[in-house]
Amino acid sequence: DKMEPVQISFFRVLFGFVVLVPVFLCHGWGPLRTRRLGLHALRGLLNAGAMISLFIALGLIPLAKFAALDFTVPLFVTVVSLSL
């Protein structure tokens, strides 16, 4: 059976959180406090949408084409960062 992109995203975030639990236990939640909760929520929603879109695309296009497009990400990030 095939897993849905939302399920894959959930488990990716869950395992990342499990890896970070020792850091939270050592330093507490203090380093994560923010005054801009709304912007962080927006960032989280955009990140979740991007992650789900990534897994959808991975299931729809051939793996070689996906890998080729993935290698262009640093180029686009560079161009966008220079324009800011």
Coordinates of all heavy atoms in Angstrom, one line a residue:
D1 N 0.8 -1.2 0.0 CA 0.0 0.0 0.0 C 0.9 1.3 0.0 O 2.0 1.3 0.5 CB -0.9 0.0 1.2 CG -2.0 -1.0 1.1 OD1 -2.5 -1.2 0.0 OD2 -2.4 -1.6 2.2
K2 N 0.3 2.3 -0.5 CA 1.0 3.6 -0.7 C 0.6 4.5 0.5 O -0.6 4.6 0.8 CB 0.6 4.2 -2.0 CG 1.3 5.4 -2.4 CD 1.0 5.8 -3.8 CE 0.6 7.2 -3.9 NZ 0.3 7.7 -5.2
M3 N 1.6 5.2 1.1 CA 1.3 6.1 2.1 C 0.9 7.5 1.5 O 1.5 7.9 0.5 CB 2.5 6.3 3.1 CG 2.8 5.1 4.0 SD 4.2 5.4 5.1 CE 3.5 6.7 6.1
E4 N 0.1 8.2 2.2 CA -0.3 9.5 1.7 C 0.7 10.5 2.1 O 1.4 10.4 3.1 CB -1.7 9.9 2.4 CG -2.8 9.0 1.9 CD -3.1 9.1 0.4 OE1 -3.1 10.2 -0.1 OE2 -3.4 8.1 -0.2
P5 N 0.8 11.6 1.3 CA 1.8 12.6 1.6 C 1.7 13.3 3.0 O 2.7 13.6 3.6 CB 1.6 13.7 0.5 CG 1.0 12.9 -0.6 CD 0.2 11.8 0.0
V6 N 0.4 13.4 3.5 CA 0.2 14.0 4.8 C 0.8 13.0 5.9 O 1.4 13.5 6.8 CB -1.3 14.3 5.0 CG1 -1.5 14.7 6.4 CG2 -1.8 15.3 4.0
Q7 N 0.6 11.7 5.7 CA 1.2 10.7 6.6 C 2.7 10.8 6.6 O 3.3 10.8 7.7 CB 0.7 9.3 6.3 CG -0.7 9.0 6.5 CD -1.1 7.6 6.1 OE1 -0.7 7.2 4.9 NE2 -1.7 6.9 6.9
I8 N 3.3 10.8 5.5 CA 4.8 10.9 5.4 C 5.3 12.2 6.1 O 6.2 12.1 6.8 CB 5.2 10.9 3.9 CG1 4.8 9.6 3.3 CG2 6.7 11.0 3.8 CD1 5.0 9.5 1.8
S9 N 4.6 13.3 5.8 CA 5.0 14.6 6.5 C 4.9 14.5 8.0 O 5.7 14.9 8.7 CB 4.1 15.7 5.9 OG 4.3 15.8 4.5
F10 N 3.8 13.9 8.4 CA 3.6 13.7 9.9 C 4.7 12.9 10.5 O 5.3 13.4 11.5 CB 2.2 13.0 10.2 CG 2.0 12.7 11.6 CD1 1.7 13.6 12.5 CD2 2.3 11.4 12.0 CE1 1.5 13.3 13.9 CE2 2.1 11.0 13.4 CZ 1.8 12.0 14.3
F11 N 5.1 11.8 9.9 CA 6.1 11.0 10.5 C 7.5 11.7 10.4 O 8.3 11.5 11.3 CB 6.2 9.6 9.9 CG 5.0 8.7 10.4 CD1 4.0 8.3 9.5 CD2 5.0 8.4 11.7 CE1 3.0 7.6 10.0 CE2 3.9 7.6 12.2 CZ 2.9 7.2 11.3
R12 N 7.7 12.4 9.4 CA 9.0 13.2 9.2 C 9.1 14.2 10.4 O 10.1 14.3 11.0 CB 9.0 13.9 7.9 CG 10.3 14.6 7.7 CD 10.4 15.3 6.3 NE 11.6 16.1 6.2 CZ 11.8 16.8 5.2 NH1 11.0 16.9 4.2 NH2 13.0 17.5 5.2
V13 N 8.0 14.9 10.7 CA 8.0 15.9 11.7 C 8.1 15.2 13.1 O 8.8 15.7 14.0 CB 6.8 16.8 11.6 CG1 6.6 17.7 12.9 CG2 6.8 17.7 10.4
L14 N 7.4 14.1 13.3 CA 7.4 13.4 14.5 C 8.8 12.9 14.8 O 9.3 13.1 16.0 CB 6.5 12.2 14.5 CG 6.4 11.3 15.7 CD1 5.8 12.1 16.9 CD2 5.6 10.1 15.4
F15 N 9.5 12.3 13.9 CA 10.9 11.8 14.1 C 11.8 12.9 14.4 O 12.8 12.8 15.2 CB 11.3 10.9 13.0 CG 10.6 9.6 12.9 CD1 10.1 9.1 11.7 CD2 10.3 8.8 14.1 CE1 9.4 7.9 11.6 CE2 9.6 7.6 14.0 CZ 9.2 7.2 12.8
G16 N 11.7 14.0 13.7 CA 12.5 15.2 14.0 C 12.3 15.7 15.4 O 13.3 16.1 16.0
F17 N 11.1 15.7 15.8 CA 10.8 16.2 17.2 C 11.4 15.2 18.2 O 12.0 15.6 19.2 CB 9.3 16.2 17.4 CG 8.9 16.7 18.8 CD1 9.0 18.1 19.1 CD2 8.4 15.9 19.7 CE1 8.7 18.5 20.4 CE2 8.1 16.3 21.0 CZ 8.2 17.6 21.3
V18 N 11.3 13.9 17.9 CA 11.9 12.9 18.9 C 13.4 13.1 19.0 O 14.0 13.0 20.0 CB 11.6 11.5 18.4 CG1 12.4 10.5 19.1 CG2 10.1 11.2 18.6
V19 N 14.1 13.5 17.9 CA 15.5 13.8 17.9 C 15.8 15.0 18.7 O 16.8 15.1 19.4 CB 16.1 13.9 16.4 CG1 17.5 14.4 16.4 CG2 16.0 12.6 15.7
L20 N 14.9 16.0 18.7 CA 15.2 17.2 19.4 C 14.7 17.2 20.9 O 15.0 18.1 21.6 CB 14.4 18.4 18.7 CG 15.0 18.8 17.4 CD1 14.2 19.9 16.7 CD2 16.4 19.3 17.6
V21 N 14.0 16.2 21.3 CA 13.6 16.1 22.7 C 14.7 16.3 23.7 O 14.6 17.0 24.7 CB 12.8 14.8 23.0 CG1 12.6 14.5 24.4 CG2 11.4 14.9 22.3
P22 N 15.9 15.6 23.5 CA 17.0 15.8 24.4 C 17.5 17.3 24.5 O 17.8 17.7 25.6 CB 18.1 14.9 23.9 CG 17.5 13.9 23.1 CD 16.2 14.5 22.5
V23 N 17.4 18.0 23.4 CA 17.8 19.4 23.4 C 16.8 20.2 24.3 O 17.2 21.0 25.1 CB 17.9 20.0 22.0 CG1 18.1 21.4 22.0 CG2 18.9 19.2 21.2
F24 N 15.5 19.9 24.1 CA 14.5 20.6 24.9 C 14.6 20.3 26.4 O 14.4 21.1 27.2 CB 13.1 20.2 24.4 CG 12.7 20.7 23.0 CD1 12.0 19.9 22.1 CD2 13.2 21.9 22.6 CE1 11.7 20.3 20.9 CE2 12.9 22.4 21.3 CZ 12.1 21.6 20.4
L25 N 14.9 19.0 26.7 CA 15.1 18.6 28.1 C 16.3 19.3 28.7 O 16.3 19.7 29.9 CB 15.2 17.1 28.2 CG 14.0 16.3 27.9 CD1 14.3 14.8 28.0 CD2 12.8 16.7 28.8
C26 N 17.3 19.6 27.9 CA 18.5 20.2 28.5 C 18.4 21.7 28.6 O 18.8 22.3 29.6 CB 19.7 19.9 27.5 SG 21.3 20.6 28.1
H27 N 17.8 22.4 27.6 CA 17.7 23.8 27.5 C 16.4 24.4 27.8 O 16.2 25.6 27.9 CB 18.2 24.3 26.2 CG 19.6 24.0 25.9 ND1 20.7 24.6 26.5 CD2 20.2 23.1 25.0 CE1 21.8 24.1 26.0 NE2 21.5 23.1 25.1
G28 N 15.4 23.6 27.8 CA 14.0 24.1 28.0 C 13.4 24.7 26.8 O 14.0 24.7 25.7
W29 N 12.3 25.3 26.9 CA 11.6 25.9 25.8 C 12.0 27.4 25.6 O 11.5 28.0 24.7 CB 10.1 25.8 26.0 CG 9.5 24.4 25.9 CD1 9.3 23.6 27.0 CD2 9.3 23.6 24.8 NE1 8.8 22.4 26.6 CE2 8.8 22.4 25.2 CE3 9.4 23.9 23.4 CZ2 8.5 21.4 24.3 CZ3 9.0 22.9 22.5 CH2 8.6 21.6 23.0
G30 N 12.8 27.9 26.5 CA 13.2 29.3 26.5 C 13.7 29.8 25.1 O 13.3 30.9 24.6
P31 N 14.6 29.1 24.5 CA 15.2 29.5 23.2 C 14.1 29.6 22.1 O 14.4 30.3 21.1 CB 16.2 28.5 22.8 CG 16.6 27.9 24.1 CD 15.4 27.9 25.0
L32 N 13.0 29.0 22.3 CA 11.9 29.0 21.2 C 10.9 30.2 21.5 O 10.0 30.3 20.6 CB 11.2 27.7 21.2 CG 12.1 26.5 20.8 CD1 11.3 25.2 20.8 CD2 12.7 26.7 19.4
R33 N 11.0 30.9 22.5 CA 10.0 32.0 22.8 C 10.2 33.1 21.7 O 11.3 33.4 21.3 CB 10.3 32.5 24.2 CG 9.8 31.6 25.2 CD 9.5 32.3 26.5 NE 8.9 31.4 27.5 CZ 9.6 30.8 28.4 NH1 10.9 31.1 28.6 NH2 9.0 29.9 29.2
T34 N 9.1 33.6 21.4 CA 9.1 34.7 20.3 C 8.0 35.7 20.6 O 7.0 35.4 21.3 CB 8.8 34.0 18.9 OG1 8.9 35.1 18.0 CG2 7.5 33.3 18.9
R35 N 8.2 36.9 20.1 CA 7.1 37.9 20.2 C 6.3 37.9 18.9 O 5.3 38.6 18.8 CB 7.8 39.3 20.4 CG 8.5 39.4 21.7 CD 9.1 40.8 21.8 NE 10.0 40.8 23.0 CZ 11.0 41.6 23.1 NH1 11.2 42.5 22.2 NH2 11.7 41.6 24.2
R36 N 6.7 37.2 17.9 CA 6.0 37.2 16.6 C 5.4 35.8 16.4 O 5.7 35.1 15.4 CB 7.0 37.5 15.5 CG 7.6 38.9 15.7 CD 8.6 39.1 14.6 NE 9.1 40.5 14.7 CZ 10.0 41.0 13.9 NH1 10.4 40.3 12.9 NH2 10.4 42.2 14.1
L37 N 4.5 35.4 17.2 CA 3.8 34.1 17.1 C 3.1 33.9 15.8 O 3.1 32.9 15.2 CB 2.9 33.9 18.3 CG 2.4 32.5 18.5 CD1 3.5 31.5 18.6 CD2 1.4 32.4 19.6
G38 N 2.4 35.0 15.3 CA 1.7 34.9 14.1 C 2.5 34.6 12.9 O 2.2 33.8 12.0
L39 N 3.7 35.3 12.8 CA 4.6 35.1 11.7 C 5.2 33.6 11.8 O 5.4 33.0 10.7 CB 5.8 36.1 11.7 CG 5.4 37.5 11.3 CD1 6.5 38.4 11.4 CD2 4.9 37.5 9.9
H40 N 5.4 33.1 13.0 CA 6.0 31.8 13.1 C 4.9 30.8 12.7 O 5.2 29.7 12.1 CB 6.5 31.5 14.5 CG 7.8 32.1 14.8 ND1 9.0 31.5 14.3 CD2 8.2 33.3 15.3 CE1 10.0 32.3 14.7 NE2 9.5 33.4 15.3
A41 N 3.6 31.0 13.0 CA 2.5 30.2 12.6 C 2.4 30.2 11.1 O 2.2 29.1 10.5 CB 1.2 30.6 13.3
L42 N 2.5 31.3 10.5 CA 2.5 31.4 9.0 C 3.6 30.6 8.4 O 3.4 29.9 7.4 CB 2.5 32.9 8.6 CG 2.5 33.1 7.1 CD1 1.3 32.6 6.4 CD2 2.7 34.6 6.8
R43 N 4.8 30.8 9.0 CA 6.0 30.1 8.5 C 5.7 28.6 8.6 O 6.1 27.8 7.7 CB 7.2 30.5 9.3 CG 8.5 29.7 8.9 CD 9.6 30.2 9.7 NE 10.8 29.5 9.4 CZ 11.6 28.8 10.3 NH1 11.3 28.9 11.5 NH2 12.6 28.2 9.9
G44 N 5.2 28.1 9.7 CA 4.9 26.7 9.9 C 3.9 26.2 8.9 O 4.1 25.1 8.3
L45 N 2.8 26.9 8.6 CA 1.9 26.5 7.6 C 2.4 26.5 6.2 O 2.2 25.5 5.5 CB 0.7 27.5 7.6 CG -0.3 27.4 8.8 CD1 -1.3 28.5 8.8 CD2 -1.0 26.0 8.8
L46 N 3.3 27.5 5.9 CA 3.9 27.4 4.6 C 4.9 26.3 4.4 O 5.0 25.6 3.4 CB 4.6 28.8 4.3 CG 3.7 30.0 4.1 CD1 4.5 31.3 4.0 CD2 2.9 29.8 2.9
N47 N 5.6 26.0 5.5 CA 6.5 24.9 5.5 C 5.8 23.5 5.4 O 6.2 22.7 4.6 CB 7.4 24.9 6.8 CG 8.5 23.9 6.7 OD1 8.9 23.4 5.7 ND2 9.0 23.5 7.9
A48 N 4.7 23.4 6.1 CA 3.9 22.2 6.0 C 3.3 22.0 4.6 O 3.4 20.9 4.0 CB 2.7 22.2 7.0
G49 N 2.8 23.1 4.0 CA 2.4 23.0 2.6 C 3.4 22.7 1.6 O 3.2 21.9 0.7
A50 N 4.6 23.2 1.8 CA 5.8 22.9 0.9 C 6.2 21.5 1.1 O 6.5 20.8 0.1 CB 6.9 23.8 1.2
M51 N 6.2 21.0 2.3 CA 6.6 19.6 2.5 C 5.6 18.6 1.9 O 6.0 17.6 1.2 CB 6.7 19.3 4.0 CG 7.3 18.0 4.3 SD 7.5 17.5 6.1 CE 7.5 19.0 7.0
I52 N 4.3 18.9 2.1 CA 3.3 18.0 1.5 C 3.4 18.1 0.0 O 3.3 17.0 -0.7 CB 1.9 18.4 2.0 CG1 1.8 18.0 3.5 CG2 0.8 17.7 1.3 CD1 0.6 18.6 4.2
S53 N 3.6 19.3 -0.6 CA 3.7 19.4 -2.0 C 4.9 18.7 -2.6 O 4.9 18.1 -3.6 CB 3.8 20.9 -2.4 OG 2.7 21.6 -2.0
L54 N 6.0 18.7 -1.8 CA 7.2 17.9 -2.2 C 6.9 16.5 -2.3 O 7.3 15.8 -3.3 CB 8.3 18.2 -1.2 CG 9.6 17.4 -1.4 CD1 10.5 18.1 -2.3 CD2 10.3 17.1 -0.1
F55 N 6.2 15.9 -1.3 CA 5.9 14.5 -1.4 C 4.9 14.1 -2.4 O 4.9 13.0 -3.0 CB 5.5 14.0 0.0 CG 6.6 14.0 1.0 CD1 6.5 14.6 2.2 CD2 7.8 13.3 0.7 CE1 7.5 14.6 3.1 CE2 8.8 13.3 1.6 CZ 8.7 14.0 2.8
I56 N 4.0 15.0 -2.7 CA 3.0 14.8 -3.8 C 3.8 14.8 -5.1 O 3.6 13.9 -6.0 CB 1.9 15.9 -3.8 CG1 1.0 15.7 -2.6 CG2 1.1 15.8 -5.1 CD1 0.0 16.8 -2.5
A57 N 4.7 15.7 -5.3 CA 5.5 15.8 -6.6 C 6.3 14.6 -6.7 O 6.5 14.0 -7.8 CB 6.3 17.1 -6.6
L58 N 6.9 14.1 -5.6 CA 7.8 12.9 -5.7 C 7.0 11.7 -6.2 O 7.5 10.9 -6.9 CB 8.3 12.7 -4.3 CG 9.4 11.6 -4.2 CD1 10.6 11.8 -5.1 CD2 9.9 11.5 -2.7
G59 N 5.7 11.6 -5.9 CA 4.9 10.5 -6.3 C 4.4 10.7 -7.8 O 3.9 9.7 -8.4
L60 N 4.4 11.9 -8.3 CA 3.8 12.1 -9.6 C 4.8 12.2 -10.8 O 4.4 11.9 -11.9 CB 3.0 13.4 -9.6 CG 1.8 13.5 -8.7 CD1 1.2 14.9 -8.7 CD2 0.8 12.4 -9.2
I61 N 6.0 12.5 -10.5 CA 7.0 12.7 -11.6 C 8.1 11.6 -11.4 O 8.3 11.1 -10.4 CB 7.6 14.1 -11.7 CG1 8.4 14.4 -10.4 CG2 6.6 15.1 -11.9 CD1 9.1 15.7 -10.5
P62 N 8.8 11.3 -12.5 CA 9.9 10.3 -12.4 C 11.0 10.8 -11.5 O 11.2 12.0 -11.4 CB 10.4 10.2 -13.9 CG 9.3 10.7 -14.7 CD 8.6 11.7 -13.9
L63 N 11.6 9.8 -10.8 CA 12.6 10.1 -9.8 C 13.8 10.9 -10.4 O 14.3 11.8 -9.7 CB 13.1 8.8 -9.1 CG 14.0 9.0 -7.9 CD1 13.3 9.8 -6.9 CD2 14.4 7.6 -7.4
A64 N 14.2 10.6 -11.6 CA 15.3 11.3 -12.2 C 15.0 12.8 -12.4 O 15.8 13.7 -12.2 CB 15.7 10.7 -13.5
K65 N 13.8 13.1 -12.9 CA 13.4 14.5 -13.1 C 13.3 15.2 -11.7 O 13.7 16.3 -11.6 CB 12.0 14.5 -13.8 CG 11.7 15.9 -14.3 CD 10.4 15.9 -15.1 CE 10.7 15.5 -16.5 NZ 9.6 15.7 -17.4
F66 N 12.7 14.5 -10.7 CA 12.6 15.1 -9.4 C 14.0 15.5 -8.9 O 14.3 16.5 -8.3 CB 11.9 14.1 -8.5 CG 11.8 14.7 -7.1 CD1 10.8 15.5 -6.7 CD2 12.7 14.4 -6.1 CE1 10.6 16.0 -5.5 CE2 12.6 14.9 -4.8 CZ 11.6 15.7 -4.5
A67 N 15.0 14.5 -9.0 CA 16.4 14.8 -8.5 C 17.0 15.9 -9.3 O 17.7 16.8 -8.7 CB 17.2 13.5 -8.7
A68 N 16.8 16.0 -10.6 CA 17.3 17.1 -11.4 C 16.8 18.5 -10.9 O 17.5 19.4 -10.8 CB 17.1 16.9 -12.9
L69 N 15.5 18.5 -10.7 CA 14.9 19.7 -10.2 C 15.3 20.1 -8.8 O 15.6 21.2 -8.4 CB 13.3 19.6 -10.2 CG 12.7 19.6 -11.6 CD1 11.2 19.3 -11.4 CD2 12.9 21.0 -12.2
D70 N 15.5 19.0 -8.0 CA 16.0 19.3 -6.6 C 17.4 19.9 -6.6 O 17.7 20.7 -5.7 CB 16.0 17.9 -5.8 CG 16.1 18.1 -4.3 OD1 15.5 19.1 -3.8 OD2 16.8 17.3 -3.7
F71 N 18.2 19.5 -7.5 CA 19.6 20.1 -7.6 C 19.6 21.5 -8.0 O 20.6 22.2 -7.8 CB 20.5 19.3 -8.6 CG 21.0 18.0 -8.0 CD1 20.8 16.8 -8.7 CD2 21.7 17.9 -6.8 CE1 21.2 15.6 -8.2 CE2 22.1 16.7 -6.3 CZ 21.9 15.6 -7.0
T72 N 18.5 22.1 -8.6 CA 18.4 23.5 -8.9 C 18.1 24.4 -7.8 O 18.1 25.6 -7.9 CB 17.4 23.7 -10.1 OG1 16.1 23.4 -9.6 CG2 17.8 22.9 -11.3
V73 N 17.6 23.8 -6.6 CA 17.2 24.6 -5.5 C 18.3 25.6 -5.0 O 18.0 26.8 -4.8 CB 16.7 23.7 -4.3 CG1 16.5 24.5 -3.1 CG2 15.5 23.0 -4.7
P74 N 19.6 25.2 -4.9 CA 20.6 26.2 -4.4 C 20.7 27.4 -5.4 O 20.9 28.5 -5.0 CB 21.9 25.4 -4.4 CG 21.4 24.0 -4.2 CD 20.1 23.8 -4.9
L75 N 20.5 27.1 -6.7 CA 20.6 28.2 -7.7 C 19.4 29.2 -7.4 O 19.7 30.4 -7.4 CB 20.5 27.7 -9.1 CG 21.6 26.7 -9.5 CD1 21.3 26.1 -10.8 CD2 22.9 27.4 -9.5
F76 N 18.2 28.7 -7.2 CA 17.1 29.6 -7.0 C 17.2 30.4 -5.7 O 16.9 31.5 -5.6 CB 15.8 28.8 -7.1 CG 15.4 28.4 -8.5 CD1 15.4 27.1 -8.8 CD2 15.1 29.4 -9.4 CE1 15.0 26.7 -10.1 CE2 14.8 29.0 -10.7 CZ 14.7 27.6 -11.0
V77 N 17.7 29.7 -4.6 CA 17.9 30.3 -3.4 C 18.9 31.4 -3.5 O 18.8 32.5 -2.9 CB 18.3 29.3 -2.3 CG1 18.8 30.0 -1.0 CG2 17.2 28.3 -2.0
T78 N 20.0 31.2 -4.2 CA 21.0 32.2 -4.4 C 20.5 33.4 -5.1 O 20.7 34.6 -4.7 CB 22.2 31.6 -5.2 OG1 22.7 30.5 -4.5 CG2 23.3 32.7 -5.4
V79 N 19.7 33.2 -6.2 CA 19.1 34.3 -7.0 C 18.2 35.1 -6.1 O 18.2 36.4 -6.1 CB 18.4 33.8 -8.2 CG1 17.6 34.9 -8.9 CG2 19.5 33.2 -9.2
V80 N 17.3 34.5 -5.4 CA 16.4 35.1 -4.5 C 17.1 35.9 -3.4 O 16.7 37.0 -3.1 CB 15.3 34.2 -3.9 CG1 14.5 34.8 -2.9 CG2 14.4 33.6 -5.1
S81 N 18.1 35.3 -2.8 CA 18.8 36.0 -1.7 C 19.5 37.2 -2.2 O 19.7 38.2 -1.4 CB 19.7 35.0 -1.0 OG 20.8 34.7 -1.8
L82 N 20.0 37.2 -3.4 CA 20.7 38.4 -4.0 C 19.8 39.5 -4.3 O 20.1 40.6 -4.3 CB 21.5 38.0 -5.2 CG 22.7 37.0 -4.9 CD1 23.4 36.6 -6.2 CD2 23.7 37.7 -4.0
S83 N 18.5 39.1 -4.6 CA 17.5 40.2 -5.0 C 16.9 40.8 -3.8 O 16.3 41.8 -3.9 CB 16.5 39.5 -5.9 OG 15.7 38.6 -5.1
L84 N 17.1 40.2 -2.6 CA 16.6 40.9 -1.4 C 17.5 41.9 -0.9 O 17.7 42.7 -0.3 CB 16.3 39.8 -0.3 CG 15.2 38.8 -0.7 CD1 15.1 37.8 0.5 CD2 13.9 39.4 -0.9

